[in-house]
Amino acid sequence: MAHIADIASWLIAGTLPVLLVFAAVSDIRSLQIPNSIPIAITGLFALGALSAGLDVWSFGQHYAIGLGVLVAGAGLFAMNVMGGGDVKLLAAASIWFEWTDLFGLLLMTAIFGGVLALLVLVMRRFRGAAPFATALPWMAERGDDGSSSVAIPYGVAISAAAIYLFPRSPLVPASWAAAFGG
């Protein structure tokens, strides 16, 4: 019976990075992250917590982290700083980490986001060198409303940060965490 729980933990933990990659690819292709991805990430944590035997207090704390990030993100969305899909993805990913790792997740998201923004600026500058890039909605010089600001697929930065910190999640099997330096 213990082997079944171990296998379930491995499968659940292994699905998180896959979902994060799907979110990043979707954001790159269309500047949209399907609602099904944050919903799956959120539900997957519940399954993982049950199979790992996480106590009720810890379970509640993880979802409180996600709710706090969602509320803060809603404020950023209202100020047109973040997209709605990015807010939902960040909130869902944050559920997978402890309070002590929340700052790290946000910091790594900001760092990866800064690198991403620089890459996007360079790609926009030299878009003629890569004809495929003109098909991407975030490669335009101007936004749909004619403004000079164009969205950046920030789901890439969120996914990269969550994958980078993945070994620190309490639901990652200890053997994985050790192998990946967690």
Side-chain angles (χ1 to χ4, degrees), residues 69-136:
V69 170
L70 185 64
V71 169
L76 293 172
F77 174 75
M79 295 185 300
N80 205 24
V81 173
M82 281 185 83
D86 298 332
V87 169
K88 291 179 275 189
L89 180 63
L90 183 59
S94 69
I95 292 170
W96 280 74
F97 300 97
E98 303 278 342
W99 285 106
T100 55
D101 293 321
L102 181 59
F103 177 75
L105 177 65
L106 298 175
L107 178 64
M108 292 310 299
T109 298
I111 290 170
F112 285 129
V115 170
L116 175 65
L118 289 173
L119 287 173
V120 168
L121 288 172
V122 168
M123 286 178 68
R124 285 181 185 156
R125 175 82 170 120
F126 298 105
R127 85 176 120 252
F132 71 89
T134 58
L136 300 170

Side-chain angles (χ1 to χ4, degrees), residues 6-125:
D6 289 341
I7 292 169
S9 293
W10 280 61
L11 289 174
I12 291 166
T15 304
L16 176 64
V18 172
L19 289 171
L20 291 166
V21 168
F22 277 125
V25 169
S26 178
D27 208 18
I28 288 170
R29 294 183 66 205
S30 65
L31 282 176
Q32 293 183 347
I33 299 169
N35 287 337
S36 58
I37 294 174
I39 290 169
I41 290 171
T42 302
L44 195 62
F45 180 83
L47 289 175
L50 290 173
S51 72
L54 205 65
D55 62 88
V56 175
W57 176 251
S58 296
F59 185 83
Q61 282 184 325
H62 282 272
Y63 278 95
I65 291 168
L67 181 60
V69 170
L70 185 64
V71 169
L76 293 172
F77 174 75
M79 295 185 300
N80 205 24
V81 173
M82 281 185 83
D86 298 332
V87 169
K88 291 179 275 189
L89 180 63
L90 183 59
S94 69
I95 292 170
W96 280 74
F97 300 97
E98 303 278 342
W99 285 106
T100 55
D101 293 321
L102 181 59
F103 177 75
L105 177 65
L106 298 175
L107 178 64
M108 292 310 299
T109 298
I111 290 170
F112 285 129
V115 170
L116 175 65
L118 289 173
L119 287 173
V120 168
L121 288 172
V122 168
M123 286 178 68
R124 285 181 185 156
R125 175 82 170 120

